[in-house]
Amino acid sequence: MKQILISDPTLRDGNHAVAHQLSAEQIAIYAAAANKARVPIVEVGHGNGLGASSLQVGESLVDDITMLTTAKKYLTFSKLGIHVIPGFATIQRDLKKAIELGVDVIRVAAHCTEADITQRHLGFAREKGKEAFGVLMMSHMAAPGLLVEEAQKMVQYGAEAIIIMDSAGALLPPDVTDRIEALVQDLPVPVGFHAHNNLGMATANSVAALQAGAKILDGTARGFGAGAGNAQLEVLVAVLEKMGYSTGIDLYGMLDAADIAEKNIMPSVPVIKSESIVSGLAGVFSGFSKHVARISKEYNVDQRDVYFALGKRKVVAGQEDIIIEVILDIVKNKQP
Amino acid sequence: MEPDLQQNCRASSTGLLASLEPLRGQTILVTGGTGFMGKWMAEAVVFLNLQHNFGITLYLLSRNTEAFRNTVPHLARQPFIRLLEADVRNVRDLPENISYVIHAAATPDRREHATQPLRVIETILKGTISVLDASLRLPLLNKFLYISSNNVYGQTHNNTNGIAENSIGYLDSNSINAAYPEAKRLAETICAVYRNQQKLPVVTVRPFAFTGPYQDLEKPWALNNFMRDAILGGPIRILGNEHTVRSYLYGSDMAFWLLAILSSPKPANTYNLGSPEGISMTHLAEKIAASFHHKIDIVIKSAKDDNTHYSVVIPDLSTLTRDIPVKKAISLDEAIAATLQWYQHHSTIA
């Protein structure tokens, strides 16, 4: 039976859905449930990853150290993973500490055309003997050939797997197939896929990735994640079982973990809201949704206009400060 | 116990000392001289001078000589080892008594190739031209050894007998990995032009993979990574196809083979330099794991399910051994043991 490695960022991507307000208690509850379900990797942290808590992208309720220490305590089977964007996370201040706290899997992420910035972080993770994955975010913004080149750089830097993220939930299954096939063809290391559900394609895209040769899939309990959420992990596990793949995850345990997550960590289960559909169509990073909603309301502008304007400007994660600029432009243009 | 590198030099010099006689009293320059190759050349010259009174003067040219002084003070303090601090792209005047040049400057680190491809190209091309020009003005010059790379072969048909010097394969000039091999190829051609037009006594050497003390554990090569994984308690992670075959020559063998090529009367040739004994990644990982007393797992991480097609990159040494009586003195097992011992004393992670 073919093995698929599942990485669960419920406690990281899900933090986007609650403006990074997951508490230590909530982290403990879900970490214990995911561990019991034998989820291979549980990713924990601020939505934008290690060291990202800030006024610009949102301050988290609890600091990185508390989040990681809490999760580690309950992850006796599952590996503890972190999302690391160089710039937010520095090696000396953040990564070194995270490794000391027992992080097992370090997923070093960059915008899909900027793999160059990951060299030192990937190198450091490998030097410390940790599993180091390269992550290319916003992968709808690069053609398959360019993604391959950026991924090749990450492999040269030491990445042991490459995961592409459909951060905006903008891809359709054939787009995913093209990208994953190209990567599998030209890379020596395993390829993975991280879906968002803006266009309702998260599970279908994950299956497309699998059929194109992906060996790693991300999914979250109830799809708890930025914007319209991610691929719903308990559904994904069930679908993979039906397709004859092995994830090592206990299905009942995962179903229980999802119930526990819904009850204890989600103010509401992710649904595909109108603005998420627009965000997916415009190709805007799902992590922008809370900021766009808040500032649009403040300035009384239509969120949908904001997403299309952001899409035209090809904004990427980390450029949250452009949201206000775009909204002010819309306000200015509305004035008689 | 720390490995005795001078003892390694003694083993590697066995059978070659007579052929090295032309180097007696000569002055050798190594550019890129403070890296792995330069340090082993220094060890070899220390052995020849202190044990056999060769009286060689060795100049090591590098951008950062301070690091050399700090990391290998036992070599730096030898009166016959002299450090020249310069950027190889701007070399103009070299000490006039230099009679042999080994132009090795250029990083083989593929992370640099991916991140700084233009700088890599510039260093290789400008550096080679500037050292060639400076060498033209050396009145006593006997030989100019250009250190190229096995990367110039590109993708060759797998041949378990090794890649011969005339079996150049496919190289995708548009690949992000092309900067280094393409620049090395062009640099070989530039050297050939100086040989043809200026009658400079150029010999080209295409090194394969090496191992041994002085190689940093963080370097992105399978053997180093396997050793690092093992030192950290494992698992050893094989990235890509586990059947991939490579070969490894120990540092002291590399240094004495280079000296033998340098002193050979054969002019104008191209030689492979490396171990002809291939080993698969699986067997290499098993060998390293077996060097430890505790159990170390081996994990294979590959993009593809079908790994029946794999690359074999080992040198065919027919041309070299036809001209020069080189013989591998340090086995791979001995090389791994010595390297692991050395890391225990010199690596912060060991």
Side-chain angles (χ1 to χ4, degrees):
Chain A
M1 194 184 264
K2 193 175 168 184
Q3 298 281 328
I4 298 298
L5 177 65
I6 296 288
S7 185
D8 173 0
T10 302
L11 295 175
R12 197 276 302 164
D13 214 323
N15 230 336
H16 275 300
V18 290
H20 318 290
Q21 297 304 299
L22 283 180
S23 67
E25 191 191 353
Q26 289 172 313
I27 288 169
I29 290 169
Y30 184 73
N35 187 71
K36 196 174 169 194
R38 303 180 77 79
V39 173
I41 302 170
V42 174
E43 215 181 299
V44 179
H46 181 282
N48 295 72
L50 193 71
S53 177
S54 61
L55 279 175
Q56 188 200 18
V57 295
E59 290 182 295
S60 51
L61 179 67
V62 286
D63 58 39
D64 287 333
I65 293 175
T66 307
M67 283 193 266
L68 296 177
T69 313
T70 305
K72 186 69 185 174
K73 199 170 151 190
Y74 294 92
L75 298 179
T76 52
F77 170 83
S78 310
K79 290 178 179 172
L80 173 59
I82 50 172
H83 183 70
V84 171
I85 301 177
F88 284 137
T90 66
I91 290 174
Q92 291 305 324
R93 187 193 64 194
D94 305 302
L95 198 47
K96 217 171 176 179
K97 188 74 194 166
I99 290 170
E100 283 169 15
L101 294 174
V103 159
D104 305 296
V105 180
I106 297 169
R107 297 167 47 121
V108 183
H111 180 64
C112 59
T113 57
E114 291 172 8
D116 303 55
I117 67 165
T118 62
Q119 180 179 346
R120 289 183 59 247
H121 290 68
L122 281 168
F124 187 78
R126 288 297 306 276
E127 275 170 41
K128 297 297 173 192
K130 298 298 164 189
E131 277 188 78
F133 296 175
V135 176
L136 292 167
M137 302 186 290
M138 300 288 279
S139 61
H140 72 284
M141 293 177 80
L146 182 54
L147 278 180
V148 167
E149 289 188 348
E150 295 300 306
Q152 283 173 333
K153 287 183 198 170
M154 286 178 153
V155 173
Q156 306 286 36
Y157 303 154
E160 298 167 62
I162 298 294
I163 288 107
I164 60 165
M165 286 188 165
D166 179 18
S167 314
L171 295 174
L172 298 176
D175 306 321
V176 176
T177 302
D178 287 349
R179 284 165 171 75
I180 298 291
E181 273 182 356
L183 290 163
V184 171
Q185 173 66 31
D186 288 338
L187 297 183
V189 298
V191 174
F193 183 69
H194 171 105
H196 276 271
N197 203 34
N198 297 59
L199 300 176
M201 290 287 127
T203 305
N205 280 346
S206 299
V207 171
L210 197 66
Q211 290 174 326
K215 291 184 170 179
I216 302 167
L217 291 176
D218 289 0
T220 58
R222 292 286 188 272
F224 190 49
N230 303 99
Q232 196 169 335
L233 184 52
E234 61 279 18
V235 176
L236 198 56
V237 170
V239 169
L240 293 178
E241 275 200 16
K242 188 167 182 177
M243 291 175 72
Y245 291 95
S246 167
T247 62
I249 296 175
D250 172 55
L251 179 61
Y252 278 14
M254 190 61 235
L255 296 173
D256 291 344
D259 292 341
I260 289 167
E262 181 180 343
K263 188 177 161 199
N264 293 285
I265 70 171
M266 297 175 204
S268 58
V269 174
V271 293
I272 307 175
K273 292 180 183 162
S274 302
E275 59 268 23
S276 292
I277 298 170
V278 176
S279 165
L281 283 177
V284 174
F285 172 46
S286 299
F288 278 20
S289 63
K290 294 274 173 207
H291 307 288
V292 171
R294 179 174 52 81
I295 308 172
S296 298
K297 193 175 171 191
E298 198 176 314
Y299 285 88
N300 194 29
V301 297
D302 189 329
Q303 283 190 62
R304 295 170 294 190
D305 294 340
V306 177
Y307 279 117
F308 281 121
L310 287 168
K312 271 186 196 159
R313 291 182 66 160
K314 297 189 186 304
V315 292
V316 301
Q319 291 182 309
E320 281 80 350
D321 49 350
I322 292 180
I323 298 170
I324 182 77
E325 212 175 293
V326 163
I327 289 176
L328 289 175
D329 274 352
I330 293 171
V331 171
K332 197 170 145 192
N333 291 334
K334 267 170 58 176
Q335 284 169 352
Chain B
M1 193 174 66
E2 195 162 359
D4 185 343
L5 307 191
Q6 287 296 295
Q7 196 57 38
N8 294 153
C9 289
R10 182 183 303 281
S12 296
S13 67
T14 305
L16 285 177
L17 284 174
S19 65
L20 300 183
E21 279 301 319
L23 300 179
R24 205 171 272 281
Q26 299 295 308
T27 300
I28 302 170
L29 166 73
V30 181
T31 69
T34 56
F36 178 78
M37 193 172 275
K39 284 173 183 157
W40 271 108
M41 288 300 292
E43 288 284 355
V45 168
V46 167
F47 173 78
L48 289 173
N49 283 359
L50 299 189
Q51 303 301 321
H52 297 280
N53 299 316
F54 262 66
I56 295 171
T57 300
L58 180 68
Y59 282 100
L60 300 174
L61 184 145
S62 156
R63 273 181 305 177
N64 187 0
T65 53
E66 195 55 37
F68 186 85
R69 286 192 186 91
N70 292 335
T71 54
V72 282
H74 70 287
L75 297 173
R77 68 170 166 257
Q78 297 293 344
F80 48 82
I81 292 178
R82 297 178 189 170
L83 302 177
L84 296 175
E85 189 155 305
D87 185 322
V88 73
R89 292 169 293 186
N90 304 318
V91 169
R92 289 194 58 78
D93 296 315
L94 293 168
E96 278 199 353
N97 56 342
I98 289 171
S99 44
Y100 292 91
V101 173
I102 300 177
H103 176 41
T107 174
D109 187 334
R110 59 181 189 233
R111 295 170 301 188
E112 291 289 314
H113 307 162
T115 304
Q116 304 279 0
L118 291 176
R119 188 191 289 175
V120 167
I121 291 169
E122 190 194 9
T123 302
I124 292 172
L125 297 186
K126 280 192 180 173
T128 300
I129 290 171
S130 86
V131 177
L132 284 164
D133 280 338
S135 298
L136 282 177
R137 294 189 287 274
L138 294 174
L140 304 174
L141 187 71
N142 287 320
K143 192 168 281 184
F144 182 104
L145 212 60
Y146 177 58
I147 305 298
S148 179
S149 165
N150 75 85
N151 285 205
V152 301
Y153 290 118
Q155 286 177 13
T156 55
H157 293 296
N158 281 354
N159 186 344
T160 46
N161 295 324
I163 302 170
E165 285 83 352
N166 60 358
S167 49
I168 294 288
Y170 169 69
L171 193 51
D172 179 3
S173 56
N174 292 312
S175 154
I176 65 149
N177 301 318
Y180 182 72
E182 290 284 14
K184 282 287 187 184
R185 271 192 187 187
L186 185 52
E188 282 195 17
T189 306
I190 291 168
C191 288
V193 170
Y194 275 73
R195 181 175 62 220
N196 178 266
Q197 297 196 333
Q198 309 284 355
K199 309 306 175 207
L200 204 70
V202 174
V203 166
T204 296
V205 169
R206 294 180 183 147
F208 284 64
F210 303 122
T211 189
Y214 299 135
Q215 206 166 63
D216 293 336
L217 266 182
E218 50 82 35
K219 290 291 181 193
W221 299 308
L223 180 55
N224 302 42
N225 290 349
F226 291 176
M227 286 189 185
R228 183 185 60 204
D229 288 346
I231 289 168
L232 289 167
I236 293 175
R237 286 165 276 182
I238 300 175
L239 303 184
N241 194 326
E242 72 273 24
H243 305 301
T244 299
V245 174
R246 297 289 184 268
S247 69
Y248 298 92
L249 189 68
Y250 189 68
S252 59
D253 280 346
M254 172 202 70
F256 277 93
W257 290 20
L258 276 173
L259 288 169
I261 295 170
L262 209 58
S263 59
S264 164
K266 298 276 181 184
N269 219 331
T270 298
Y271 296 115
N272 284 332
L273 181 77
S275 167
E277 295 157 14
I279 183 166
S280 74
M281 291 299 106
T282 305
H283 288 139
L284 184 63
E286 286 168 354
K287 234 181 223 305
I288 291 166
S291 306
F292 289 76
H293 295 302
H294 52 279
K295 185 178 182 301
I296 292 175
D297 292 329
I298 296 168
V299 176
I300 298 163
K301 297 187 175 188
S302 174
K304 298 165 192 69
D305 294 323
D306 175 12
N307 280 340
T308 48
H309 299 286
Y310 55 90
S311 78
V312 178
V313 179
I314 57 174
D316 175 340
L317 295 181
S318 309
T319 310
L320 179 64
T321 51
R322 182 196 64 205
D323 291 351
I324 300 160
V326 293
K327 221 170 126 188
K328 194 171 161 180
I330 312 287
S331 71
L332 182 57
D333 287 333
E334 291 167 326
I336 289 171
T339 309
L340 286 170
Q341 276 174 12
W342 188 82
Y343 285 139
Q344 277 173 5
H345 289 85
H346 295 273
S347 169
T348 51
I349 70 162

